[in-house]
């Protein structure tokens, strides 16, 4: 259930892998424990350092409900629980994603030009391991993110998609969408693959 939920979150929720890792259960449900279709990702977790409205499809909500039922039955750390009648008994510290030890995935520090940033290295390794087991060793968490961007950009204004993912410019979405398009020669080859050519 834990791994199924992880893949579902990657497939349907417009977040970077770091944002997935920082996400808490409290962000995705109300105090009665009812799952939101639309919720706010806090600026503290967001890649553009601004609050973002996240909207998810019904299929994700159903998966999340099953996951929460499973999550509640696990022997999770005490700091993830409270004895109040709210949020299904989960505390504000309960992470959306659990590692194999039923704790949050650690963030590892990485040196970059602007100083040090933190990356979810263990979570990335977990995703790659799951995909490899499924015979998708060519795919990564970024593949899921890019696929969702391209899918949405087919039908939604690129500026709206950029805002949804927290990108600074609609050009980021346009570049991802356009790089998905085939070159004319490749498109023709696909259309006429069965037809022999004599050549010149």
């Amino acid at each position: 259930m834990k791994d199924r939920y992880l893949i579902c979150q990657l497939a349907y929720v417009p977040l970077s892998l770091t944002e997935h890792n920082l996400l808490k259960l409290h962000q995705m449900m109300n105090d009665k424990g009812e799952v939101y279709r639309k919720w706010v990702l806090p600026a503290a977790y967001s890649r553009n350092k601004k609050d973002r409205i996240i909207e998810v499809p019904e299929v994700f909500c159903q998966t999340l409900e099953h996951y929460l039922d499973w999550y509640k039955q696990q022997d999770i750390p005490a700091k993830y629980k409270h004895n109040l009648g709210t949020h299904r008994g989960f505390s504000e510290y309960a992470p959306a994603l659990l590692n194999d030890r039923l704790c949050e995935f650690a963030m590892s520090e990485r040196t970059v030009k602007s100083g040090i940033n933190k990356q979810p290295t263990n979570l990335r390794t977990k995703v790659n391991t799951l995909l490899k087991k499924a015979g998708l060793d060519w795919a990564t968490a970024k593949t899921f993110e890019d696929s969702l961007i391209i899918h949405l950009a087919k039908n939604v204004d690129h500026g709206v998609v950029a805002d949804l993912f927290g990108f600074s410019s609609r050009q980021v979405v346009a570049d991802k969408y356009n790089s998905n398009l085939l070159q004319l020669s490749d498109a023709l080859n696909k259309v006429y693959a069965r037809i022999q050519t004599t050549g010149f």
Side-chain angles (χ1 to χ4, degrees), residues 59 91 181:
V59 64
S91 78
L181 301 178

Side-chain angles (χ1 to χ4, degrees), residues 112-130:
V112 293
K113 288 180 183 176
S114 58
I116 293 175
N117 75 355
K118 293 187 176 182
Q119 294 290 321
T121 307
N122 294 342
L123 175 56
R124 186 172 286 111
T125 301
K126 175 68 175 180
V127 171
N128 292 342
T129 301
L130 285 175

Side-chain angles (χ1 to χ4, degrees), residues 5 13-14 35-36 39 53 62 71 74 77 115-116 121 129 169 182:
Y5 172 73
V13 184
V35 171
Y36 290 131
W39 38 272
I53 295 174
Q62 292 172 357
Y71 198 131
Q74 305 311 304
I116 293 175
T121 307
T129 301
S169 165
L182 295 172

Side-chain angles (χ1 to χ4, degrees), residues 70-188:
W70 171 88
Y71 198 131
K72 194 167 183 177
Q73 296 170 11
Q74 305 311 304
D75 186 21
I76 57 176
K79 67 178 179 178
Y80 298 163
K81 298 184 279 187
H82 61 57
N83 57 7
L84 305 175
T86 62
H87 295 94
R88 301 194 188 203
F90 295 117
S91 78
E92 62 186 306
Y93 304 108
L97 297 178
L98 293 173
N99 64 21
D100 293 337
R101 295 183 310 279
L102 302 179
C103 295
E104 60 190 327
F105 284 92
M107 297 287 280
S108 53
E109 292 186 347
R110 187 176 70 171
T111 304
V112 293
K113 288 180 183 176
S114 58
I116 293 175
N117 75 355
K118 293 187 176 182
Q119 294 290 321
T121 307
N122 294 342
L123 175 56
R124 186 172 286 111
T125 301
K126 175 68 175 180
V127 171
N128 292 342
T129 301
L130 285 175
L131 294 175
K132 189 172 184 179
K133 282 182 184 176
L136 301 171
D137 50 349
W138 50 269
T140 64
K142 192 75 174 152
T143 309
F144 281 86
E145 183 181 10
D146 289 348
S147 295
L148 185 54
I149 290 168
I150 290 164
H151 176 72
L152 292 173
K154 285 179 184 176
N155 302 302
V156 181
D157 179 80
H158 290 188
V160 173
V161 178
D163 289 341
L164 181 64
F165 281 85
F167 295 131
S168 58
S169 165
R170 63 184 292 137
Q171 190 60 45
V172 176
V173 174
D175 290 345
K176 288 179 185 293
Y177 181 72
N178 291 332
S179 69
N180 185 53
L181 301 178
L182 295 172
Q183 297 294 320
L184 177 60
S185 59
D186 293 333
L188 287 171

